Amino acid sequence: MAFIVKKSIHDREYYYLNENKRIGGKVKTKTLAYLGKNRKDAEKKAREFLDKRGKTNEKETAQSSKIKKITEATEIKEISIEDLAAFCKRKGFVYQSGEIYGGLSGFWDFGPLGTELKNNIKKEWWKFHVLQREDIVGIDGSIITHPKIWEASGHVASFIDIEVMNKKTKEKFKVDKFEAEKYSKDPGFEVRGEFNPMFTTNVGSTVSDSIRSYLRPETAQLIFSNFKAVYENSRLKLPCGIAQTGKAFRNEIAPRDFLFRAREFEQMEIEYFIKKGTECPYDIPDVEVMVYSAEAQEQNKEPVFMKVKHALEKGIIKKDWHAYWLATEIHWFLKLGANRGNFRIRQHLKNELSHYSSDTWDLEYKFPFGWKELEGIADRGNFDLSQHEKFSGKEMKIFDEESKERILPEVICEPSLGVERAFLVFMLDSYSYDKERENVVLKLNPKLAPVKAAVFPIVKGEKFEKISEKIVKELKQEFNVLYDKSGSIGRRYARNDEIGTPFCITIDGDSLKNQDVTIRDRDTKKQIRTKISNLRETLRKLIDGKISFDNAGKPFNFN
Ligand code: GAP
């Protein structure tokens, strides 16, 4: 299938004609032609190119009209990270923090729509990982934390970035110890030294009283330091988990790629505890993904597309718990509308492993700037609990009914996801420019959409506004709903398509007489008619995916 792609480089737009082809089980993208810098010319040139190709290649002639039609109807789905940042700013999703003073690198403020989207991501994560399970409870620990916690966890001694500078461009970036060795032999680079990215602060009212403390660089340690209390208070039984969402801080050497690498960000983490050797009793969700083992990377092989459960059966993933959590995390993203083709799982090479982990798999996503870590899923063993036992002198062991002994549980998996990275995934996978509508359509899952419905009176007059306002008031009891009475109906639809509002409700001349309204579906533009008395319930079912749009009312054609 051929499609037009826009690339933005330093505020300039360039158009290309690309094509996806399946080669040996993999989908590869090939650039067919450069189409210039103007969108309208680009479409014309694309049509000419495909026509010409159809004529010169007899075999393709039969398909030529098909290709052309597909090309004409295709939406532009690709967007660079710079364009996404500009879009987010324009629409009120995300602003550079302190922008009026020139901005502070690595810090971001979420605007009205971004706050809603971020809250919805966290709400869906919490519902899926905590509320809908009986084996996981949640906590909310403090941000400024006791310094001993970070000595025990190894962060003071081992959470080290090494700063390297490109001598020519003066660009600075962070590397690990293994990469630093490589750069130290390259005359084009300067290895500038080690750096602990934890932010420090003083706690106490006077200088003499104060102690140096840290802003937490991960939420995980608050789970470990509270483990014993939470386990006993919540009457947990192994296997079980403790979850937490909240801010984390890292003084990154080179914050970059919009929200991807920030200095202040949020994490959604679970520490999942088992008695050593316990098998995973849960079904592994039936998901397929590209699997990239450490062995395949070492042998310069390509990742393989397979079911996660088959990767376990073949011994590529060593532990059942790891397969279970990897598949569960992918399932969460797919359920909320993320695009399967943009995910893969990659095992850490030995020299990449964090100081606390014996085996880590990352869930990676194909960001516009390449495959990068979205979520880390580490086997932490009993490293953290035993360290806290050692440093605090307090016992972290629990009583095991089976063996009648006190045991130290192991963290068999730690699914750890950044909220901002999930935010980027959902924005990137839902962004599309619709050439027919001539506007962006943000196809966010209704559960994530910042605004669930927009209400428009399309006939002028007090009685139509009154009934619209009454509907808005009723719907606002439960949903974030917008009331929009200005501009043409087309403009109002476009404004809402762009911010991802899944349903637009119009009040027209017949609404007063029949006590009904029209609902328009964002993605298909289909319309249905439904009674005002059913509206709140219908909207709830549509958002929850409990009813299809076609079955939510009577089909309606507005001509
Ligand atoms: N407790 C384990 C831990 O913190 P990590 O791989 O350092 O592991 C986990 O971080 C996740 O937190 C990452 O996969 C990423 O989603 C997010 N994250 C880490 N550093 C980040 C940063 N500087 N900006 C945004 N998100 C970040």
Side-chain angles (χ1 to χ4, degrees):
M1 182 175 90
F3 53 95
I4 298 173
V5 172
K6 179 178 83 176
K7 287 204 173 131
S8 284
I9 299 163
H10 301 310
D11 289 327
R12 301 201 64 162
E13 294 177 354
Y14 304 86
Y15 293 87
Y16 295 85
L17 183 65
N18 282 6
E19 185 175 53
N20 282 344
K21 271 207 167 151
R22 190 167 278 278
I23 304 166
K26 273 182 238 139
V27 178
K28 297 224 160 157
T29 304
K30 188 177 158 199
T31 298
L32 300 175
Y34 170 58
L35 303 174
K37 296 177 191 159
N38 176 290
R39 183 190 297 279
K40 284 235 155 69
D41 287 352
E43 287 171 13
K44 198 166 145 234
K45 281 186 190 159
R47 253 178 247 130
E48 283 167 5
F49 177 92
L50 291 168
D51 276 347
K52 201 164 148 203
R53 188 173 77 162
K55 276 181 203 130
T56 50
N57 185 342
E58 276 300 299
K59 276 190 197 156
E60 280 188 27
T61 310
Q63 288 182 1
S64 174
S65 57
K66 199 168 139 205
I67 295 168
K68 199 172 144 193
K69 271 195 203 117
I70 291 169
T71 310
E72 278 170 1
T74 300
E75 313 144 325
I76 300 169
K77 282 203 66 87
E78 288 189 24
I79 183 169
S80 68
I81 199 73
E82 294 79 13
D83 282 352
L84 182 69
F87 175 80
C88 283
K89 182 177 164 185
R90 203 166 59 241
K91 290 287 155 192
F93 281 90
V94 185
Y95 315 113
Q96 168 88 67
S97 190
E99 193 169 13
I100 58 167
Y101 297 104
L104 192 57
S105 176
F107 296 90
W108 299 93
D109 296 336
F110 286 77
L113 296 175
T115 304
E116 292 296 330
L117 173 56
K118 197 168 154 197
N119 284 345
N120 291 341
I121 293 171
K122 289 190 280 183
K123 195 169 85 195
E124 287 304 316
W125 187 90
W126 196 260
K127 202 157 71 186
F128 181 81
H129 293 90
V130 181
L131 303 183
Q132 293 175 351
R133 301 183 63 116
E134 289 185 357
D135 56 345
I136 298 186
V137 295
I139 65 160
D140 184 12
S142 69
I143 283 172
I144 298 172
T145 40
H146 199 293
K148 279 271 180 212
I149 288 185
W150 307 104
E151 284 173 37
S153 69
H155 280 79
V156 172
S158 309
F159 190 51
I160 299 292
D161 288 340
I162 300 170
E163 187 176 313
V164 173
M165 188 178 73
N166 181 323
K167 284 185 186 162
K168 200 165 157 201
T169 63
K170 306 283 177 229
E171 187 204 3
K172 291 176 201 141
F173 52 98
K174 76 168 180 184
V175 296
D176 57 34
K177 284 206 168 93
F178 178 70
E179 291 169 308
E181 261 178 58
K182 215 174 60 191
Y183 282 108
S184 63
K185 291 175 194 140
D186 188 329
F189 294 89
E190 183 191 335
V191 177
R192 291 166 65 92
E194 293 189 347
F195 174 79
N196 190 316
M198 278 197 292
F199 281 99
T200 54
T201 186
N202 290 326
V203 178
S205 57
T206 65
V207 176
S208 57
D209 270 354
S210 73
I211 56 163
R212 200 164 101 120
S213 189
Y214 301 97
L215 272 68
R216 61 188 187 196
E218 61 170 14
T219 61
Q221 290 307 322
L222 283 300
I223 296 178
F224 295 122
S225 53
N226 286 298
F227 167 74
K228 194 74 186 300
V230 177
Y231 187 84
E232 287 172 4
N233 294 151
S234 306
R235 306 180 65 225
L236 289 169
K237 289 266 171 299
L238 296 177
C240 63
I242 302 176
Q244 184 175 199
T245 66
K247 293 270 187 184
F249 303 82
R250 296 182 193 176
N251 198 359
E252 296 282 357
I253 291 169
R256 59 168 55 123
D257 296 321
F258 187 28
L259 301 173
F260 180 82
R261 193 172 302 288
R263 288 180 165 137
E264 176 176 336
F265 55 98
E266 281 191 73
Q267 289 186 316
M268 305 187 279
E269 297 198 294
I270 297 168
E271 303 304 325
Y272 200 83
F273 301 93
I274 65 161
K275 177 180 167 186
K276 192 178 169 70
T278 308
E279 278 179 21
C280 175
Y282 309 127
D283 290 338
I284 296 171
D286 196 19
V287 293
E288 276 178 303
V289 72
M290 304 283 269
V291 178
Y292 206 10
S293 66
E295 196 181 320
Q297 293 164 64
E298 277 153 10
Q299 295 173 4
N300 277 329
K301 289 188 184 155
E302 291 290 316
V304 184
F305 190 67
M306 61 167 78
K307 289 197 174 180
V308 174
K309 57 174 91 162
H310 291 164
L312 175 69
E313 282 158 18
K314 287 176 187 238
I316 299 169
I317 298 173
K318 297 283 177 295
K319 289 189 182 164
D320 52 359
W321 284 105
H322 234 137
Y324 169 74
W325 276 109
L326 283 161
T328 300
E329 293 309 283
I330 298 165
H331 178 60
W332 181 75
F333 273 104
L334 300 186
K335 235 171 51 88
L336 289 170
N339 177 355
R340 176 195 314 271
N342 288 334
F343 287 83
R344 76 176 186 191
I345 54 174
R346 189 184 70 81
Q347 190 178 23
H348 278 205
L349 297 168
K350 281 266 165 313
N351 57 33
E352 273 182 89
L353 287 170
S354 307
H355 60 276
Y356 49 75
S357 177
S358 58
D359 191 11
T360 296
W361 282 80
D362 282 346
L363 177 55
E364 292 193 332
Y365 178 81
K366 197 170 164 198
F367 287 95
F369 41 90
W371 286 103
K372 297 277 174 208
E373 175 183 343
L374 168 62
E375 173 167 7
I377 304 181
D379 176 348
R380 290 182 86 126
N382 65 16
F383 173 83
D384 301 272
L385 289 184
S386 64
Q387 285 292 99
H388 286 300
E389 224 178 37
K390 203 156 84 194
F391 277 71
S392 68
K394 304 271 172 10
E395 198 200 34
M396 287 285 168
K397 295 187 186 70
I398 53 160
F399 184 72
D400 174 40
E401 297 283 352
E402 206 181 50
S403 63
K404 307 284 179 226
E405 283 174 6
R406 301 193 75 72
I407 59 159
L408 201 58
E410 290 204 347
V411 169
I412 188 68
C413 274
E414 179 203 46
S416 173
L417 170 63
V419 178
E420 287 78 1
R421 291 195 190 174
F423 185 102
L424 287 179
V425 166
F426 291 119
M427 286 298 278
L428 289 164
D429 279 351
S430 60
Y431 180 92
S432 73
Y433 180 83
D434 189 306
K435 286 163 53 179
E436 241 176 59
R437 300 187 208 185
E438 295 189 331
N439 60 256
V440 169
V441 184
L442 204 56
K443 296 184 174 175
L444 284 167
N445 181 298
K447 287 182 183 155
L448 298 182
V451 177
K452 306 299 183 202
V455 178
F456 320 146
I458 55 170
V459 187
K460 279 208 177 342
E462 202 182 321
K463 41 188 189 194
F464 296 103
E465 286 186 14
K466 255 200 174 133
I467 189 169
S468 305
E469 284 162 12
K470 201 170 153 211
I471 290 171
V472 172
K473 200 170 166 200
E474 159 77 2
L475 295 180
K476 266 190 166 292
Q477 302 300 311
E478 197 171 334
F479 316 106
N480 190 24
V481 170
L482 258 179
Y483 178 45
D484 191 349
K485 59 175 184 171
S486 65
S488 71
I489 182 76
R491 264 318 298 150
R492 284 185 263 177
Y493 280 144
R495 273 202 290 265
N496 280 284
D497 284 349
E498 292 195 333
I499 62 168
T501 308
F503 307 109
C504 288
I505 297 162
T506 46
I507 288 86
D508 58 24
D510 289 334
S511 294
L512 284 184
K513 193 168 58 182
N514 301 331
Q515 287 297 301
D516 61 3
V517 292
T518 302
I519 310 179
R520 178 243 200 201
D521 178 57
R522 174 196 65 204
D523 300 347
T524 61
K525 296 197 290 180
K526 279 187 189 172
Q527 301 195 13
I528 50 167
R529 200 84 185 164
T530 192
K531 289 281 174 207
I532 294 172
S533 55
N534 291 338
L535 191 55
R536 186 163 161 185
E537 195 186 338
T538 304
L539 198 56
R540 187 185 312 124
K541 285 185 181 160
L542 283 169
I543 293 165
D544 289 344
K546 296 260 161 64
I547 191 170
S548 71
F549 188 76
D550 290 340
N551 289 330
K554 281 197 207 129
F556 180 74
N557 259 335
F558 183 77
N559 286 316

